[in-house]
Amino acid sequence: HKSVQGVKTAVGAQMLRDGPGVVIGIPIDPGQAGKFQLVEYVNYLRKLAVDNGMAPPKVVGMPTTGSKLDRARAYREGAQPAHEPNPGQVEVYGNVDIVQGPWNAEWMEQHHTFDGVEGHADDYVDCAGDAYRLVTDPSLTRPEYVGWGAGEDD
């Protein structure tokens, strides 16, 4: 696992690779500490974007509640095959598309062995579950969860 600063740096580097217009979801703990963390990310990413000639990003805070299994449930259900594969298709993943890359085998292995137990490998499942939630949970657009990087009120 990376340090807090290491994770923040990795998120910033990915933002620069993705370019403008990408929404960034940040899991936040309940309470004041989570709100502080969201503000820290918004300010860091805003400055990094501007320093690199990009428009500041939209950052969405995603409150975490429940167990890891609970948080992965909607994603797991959304990834279930909607039907049997058609001839010529390898697999059908419902509402989840997987981009081919050198990381696929490790990513899939972690998904197949995910048990929600603290300390077991779960970073890929956590990230994929958060990404799924980011695009499917309309409550995340409430103003208290959104840090607009383009100069609007946070």
Side-chain angles (χ1 to χ4, degrees):
H1 290 289
K2 294 182 178 182
S3 68
V4 172
Q5 185 58 45
V7 171
K8 191 188 295 186
T9 301
V11 170
Q14 187 63 51
M15 175 198 69
L16 294 175
R17 283 191 297 274
D18 289 343
V22 174
V23 176
I24 299 170
I26 303 294
I28 57 173
D29 295 327
Q32 194 61 33
K35 292 175 185 175
F36 177 77
Q37 181 183 21
L38 178 60
V39 169
E40 286 287 311
Y41 264 98
V42 168
N43 291 337
Y44 170 74
L45 295 171
R46 177 184 294 162
K47 182 177 182 339
L48 183 63
V50 170
D51 288 351
N52 284 275
M54 287 175 47
K58 177 180 176 183
V59 181
V60 177
M62 303 173 59
T64 58
T65 59
S67 71
K68 287 183 175 281
L69 282 173
D70 288 342
R71 293 195 309 266
R73 182 169 288 119
Y75 162 62
R76 182 177 64 238
E77 291 169 359
Q80 294 300 311
H83 54 81
E84 289 297 313
N86 294 321
Q89 283 184 301
V90 178
E91 293 184 60
V92 178
Y93 291 102
N95 295 321
V96 176
D97 290 331
I98 301 171
V99 177
Q100 289 186 355
W103 48 269
N104 288 157
E106 183 180 359
W107 190 86
M108 291 298 287
E109 175 65 21
Q110 189 177 105
H111 278 72
H112 289 297
T113 60
F114 175 71
D115 58 8
V117 174
E118 194 67 41
H120 290 187
D122 60 13
D123 289 346
Y124 291 133
V125 176
D126 286 347
C127 291
D130 287 343
Y132 186 82
R133 182 174 168 217
L134 185 61
V135 299
T136 62
D137 185 348
S139 74
L140 294 176
T141 60
R142 293 195 319 246
E144 65 265 31
Y145 297 134
V146 179
W148 294 91
E152 293 90 340
D153 292 333
D154 291 335

